[in-house]
Amino acid sequence: MLSSFHRDTWAEIDLDAIFYNVQSMKQLLDDDVEIIAVVKANAYGHGDVQVARTALEAGATRVAVAFLDEALSLRKKGIDVPILVLGAVRPEDVVLASKENITLTVFQTEWLEKAIQYGPLPRPVALHLKLDTGMGRLGVKEEEEVKRIVELIEENDDFFLEGVYTHFATADELNTTYFEFQYETFLQMLEWLPKRPPIVHCGNSATALRFRDKVFNAIRLGIAMYGLSPSLEMKPLLPYPLKEAFSLHSRLVHVKQLKAGEKVSYGATYTAEKDEWIGTVPIGYADGWLRKLQNFCVLVNGTRVPIVGRICMDQFMIRLPEPLPVGTKVTLIGEQQGEKISIDEVATYLNTINYEIPCTISYRVPRIFLKNKSIIEVRNALL
Ligand SMILES: *Cc1c(COP(=O)(O)O)cnc(C)c1O
């Protein structure tokens, strides 16, 4: 199975960690709360269908994505539970959504009026109404518009209102003032509906982890399913330990000695101070191992070694403590012999959030899926 890629760089996706993270959330929540597994952006870079299947096995009952193409792709790969598209879908694409039984978000009257024109549809499309309670992104804000949308849906056989939801801007922050403002706003806006649709949801990972009495009857579980904390400040508040599912590895492809004064990589920015052993690692910024990671470190034989010189498109160099054989494993994210480089550490070095790190590791890096510690699938997006 490993022969389905021909490159000494890969990401490992620990599906047992995903299973555990979803199951732990399931145990935390009341029995009547559904888990919607958020698998947009190829499951935050982890692998959409593999994560979706695992989450469903662990107790999730629905999945959500950002775009229609992501939903269609999951349908094609055999995911047969309800799939909610969180983002905007073109009005003309309601026909496709109807054929594939994809749930859409309604967030504006004009969108619905246009979408209605494409009826009659092969089958009624389930809609979730998005309310903007203070995120300022997608969603309806005014009572009149909410009522108009509900009316239009009721008058039309091509659509039905299955859900209503909102999204919090600050659920991961210690200060809860704005969260509470949004929550109260949501409660008031729900009163504008003649009756509540079957599914009401407002919780992302941070909300579900911290305010499980405020999630109504479904949550949208993203980052915590992947074993990552929604923010650094929330880490001490986690109700159960999260297990990181994503790790990134490579192997030395070349090892040589540089003499004192010799240079490494573009711009010749690094100079060997003495005779040094330099190893070449075959992954670069085109794989999402960004140039700003210059001077960061990786793990070799359980110890941290520095990245030296500029990171290239497909390769970078590290300074080794001793001459090591070609083929030696290099861990960029994850554990080696008890030493660990976490996604949070990489994110902190890059001055960004953990969400961005696995998403950025590109399609060019094959994903290996592990279950019960053995490989169950290898996905190489290039072949
Ligand atoms: C991405 C997304 C989520 C998931 O958020 P996490 O913080 O990853 O749990 C939930 N809801 C919406 C609308 C999203 O776009």
Side-chain angles (χ1 to χ4, degrees):
M1 199 162 354
L2 283 173
S3 63
S4 65
F5 66 96
H6 308 91
R7 177 181 179 194
D8 282 333
T9 296
W10 70 97
E12 281 176 18
I13 313 303
D14 179 357
L15 294 176
D16 299 323
I18 304 268
F19 188 95
Y20 159 87
N21 292 326
V22 175
Q23 201 181 41
S24 303
M25 177 56 83
K26 179 95 190 130
Q27 283 164 6
L28 186 74
L29 298 170
D30 291 341
D31 288 344
D32 62 338
V33 180
E34 285 192 61
I35 295 179
I36 307 171
V38 180
V39 294
K40 62 192 179 190
N42 192 30
Y44 297 30
H46 292 63
D48 57 1
V49 69
Q50 295 83 356
V51 169
R53 274 197 216 113
T54 305
L56 293 169
E57 282 165 23
T61 47
R62 299 163 180 267
V63 301
V65 292
F67 301 117
L68 183 59
D69 286 331
E70 295 178 316
L72 297 174
S73 167
L74 283 173
R75 273 282 179 269
K76 213 155 72 186
K77 294 171 190 160
I79 299 298
D80 57 5
V81 300
I83 304 177
L84 168 63
V85 178
L86 300 164
V89 168
R90 296 174 185 154
E92 61 265 40
D93 289 335
V94 292
V95 183
L96 204 50
S98 163
K99 278 187 194 138
E100 297 297 331
N101 200 12
I102 308 293
T103 308
L104 301 181
T105 294
V106 54
F107 54 88
Q108 205 171 31
T109 321
E110 292 91 280
W111 179 87
L112 185 59
E113 284 166 348
K114 283 187 195 152
I116 284 170
Q117 316 262 306
Y118 292 91
L121 300 175
R123 113 180 61 178
V125 171
L127 296 176
H128 286 213
L129 173 62
K130 180 79 183 280
L131 300 175
D132 181 6
T133 55
M135 177 75 182
R137 198 167 63 179
L138 285 185
V140 188
K141 289 174 62 196
E142 306 298 336
E143 178 167 2
E144 220 175 295
E145 188 168 10
V146 168
K147 293 200 154 134
R148 179 78 189 119
I149 287 174
V150 172
E151 251 173 46
L152 280 172
I153 296 172
E154 263 171 15
E155 288 164 5
N156 195 291
D157 291 338
D158 284 325
F159 299 93
F160 65 100
L161 191 63
E162 183 194 51
V164 58
Y165 72 108
T166 194
H167 192 53
F168 295 118
T170 63
D172 61 338
E173 292 179 14
L174 292 186
N175 184 328
T176 58
T177 312
Y178 196 70
F179 170 84
E180 277 151 23
F181 160 77
Q182 279 197 269
Y183 180 73
E184 291 303 321
T185 306
F186 189 49
L187 284 176
Q188 286 163 22
M189 290 172 101
L190 288 175
E191 296 300 314
W192 299 345
L193 301 170
K195 73 174 201 308
R196 281 191 190 180
I199 304 164
V200 182
H201 49 112
C202 64
N204 53 2
S205 295
T207 310
L209 288 164
R210 293 175 73 191
F211 311 104
R212 62 202 155 97
D213 55 329
K214 292 193 165 66
V215 298
F216 300 88
N217 61 359
I219 64 155
R220 304 184 302 273
L221 183 63
I223 199 75
M225 172 166 63
Y226 304 102
L228 300 171
S229 175
S231 68
L232 293 178
E233 57 190 298
M234 248 194 77
K235 275 184 151 179
L237 306 176
L238 296 174
Y240 52 87
L242 296 168
K243 286 191 188 162
E244 250 178 90
F246 188 97
S247 62
L248 181 63
H249 312 273
S250 190
R251 291 187 188 282
L252 293 175
V253 289
H254 189 42
V255 176
K256 68 182 157 224
Q257 195 176 43
L258 293 193
K259 299 287 173 223
E262 290 184 323
K263 310 279 192 186
V264 174
S265 195
Y266 289 117
T269 60
Y270 179 81
T271 308
E273 281 179 14
K274 44 188 180 106
D275 293 357
E276 289 176 358
W277 289 96
I278 298 294
T280 302
V281 188
I283 166 171
Y285 62 77
D287 300 297
W289 195 251
L290 303 176
R291 289 175 82 251
K292 286 213 166 66
L293 288 164
Q294 182 170 352
N295 300 329
F296 190 60
C297 59
V298 296
L299 296 175
V300 178
N301 289 338
T303 56
R304 288 168 180 250
V305 302
I307 296 172
V308 294
R310 287 192 189 148
I311 290 170
C312 310
M313 190 182 290
D314 320 296
Q315 304 168 79
F316 66 84
M317 275 62 77
I318 55 180
R319 189 178 64 226
L320 300 171
E322 59 201 345
L324 292 172
V326 161
T328 300
K329 187 171 174 183
V330 177
T331 293
L332 294 82
I333 295 171
E335 263 186 61
Q336 264 193 12
Q337 300 164 29
E339 182 66 28
K340 181 172 177 183
I341 295 176
S342 67
I343 288 184
D344 281 339
E345 188 181 347
V346 179
T348 301
Y349 190 86
L350 288 171
N351 204 3
T352 184
I353 55 171
N354 54 18
Y355 291 72
E356 210 174 23
I357 306 305
C359 287
T360 304
I361 302 305
S362 81
Y363 66 95
R364 199 169 70 159
V365 176
R367 266 64 170 174
I368 295 184
F369 297 92
L370 296 154
K371 200 171 175 178
N372 299 324
K373 309 264 174 243
S374 31
I375 297 172
I376 60 154
E377 194 178 336
V378 177
R379 175 164 161 198
N380 180 357
L382 291 176
L383 295 182

